Amino acid sequence: MAWTQVLAANALAAGAREVVKVGDRKILLLNHENQIYAVDDTCPHLKMSLKKGKIEDGAIVCPFHRSAFDLGNGEVKTWCPFPPVVGKLLSMVSSQKTLPTYPIKVEAGNILIDV
């Protein structure tokens, strides 16, 4: 595993979010209910940032088209849940894709991520 230190653990308080860059990837770190998650910051549908997405039922919801992805494994919970015509058009932009997630660990007061 290639663990990379990305942030001091105390810099990610409960409810906080921080985008970090690891190589060419932008990764969103979230502290949700005292659990730290690491997911791609880019929605796999429209390639927009997820940083301002709401957390609902253990999923991050894209603030632009409302697709929802499980925080733990990135699986799609909902994909473009708009009225039939609009949802169908938005779904044609790209096929349903899982959001990449990354293992994290806290060690010696730092958050490390494996990419």
Side-chain angles (χ1 to χ4, degrees), residues 12-95:
L12 197 67
R17 298 168 185 213
E18 192 71 40
V19 176
V20 296
K21 194 152 173 135
V22 179
D24 62 347
R25 301 172 198 225
K26 287 184 179 178
I27 298 173
L28 177 60
L29 295 174
L30 305 106
N31 185 338
H32 178 65
E33 297 180 350
N34 292 315
Q35 174 78 33
I36 298 173
Y37 298 93
V39 301
D40 263 8
D41 180 46
T42 306
C43 175
H45 181 240
L46 295 177
K47 310 298 183 212
M48 306 290 275
S49 174
L50 291 171
K51 186 172 182 181
K52 293 187 180 186
K54 291 182 182 178
I55 306 295
E56 296 176 357
D57 299 323
I60 187 160
V61 180
C62 178
F64 303 99
H65 70 283
R66 298 195 319 248
S67 289
F69 305 91
D70 186 276
L71 283 172
N73 62 22
E75 291 294 320
V76 175
K77 286 192 162 191
T78 58
W79 189 259
C80 301
F82 291 97
V85 173
V86 175
K88 185 174 182 178
L89 290 173
L90 281 174
S91 291
M92 290 170 39
V93 172
S94 72
S95 59

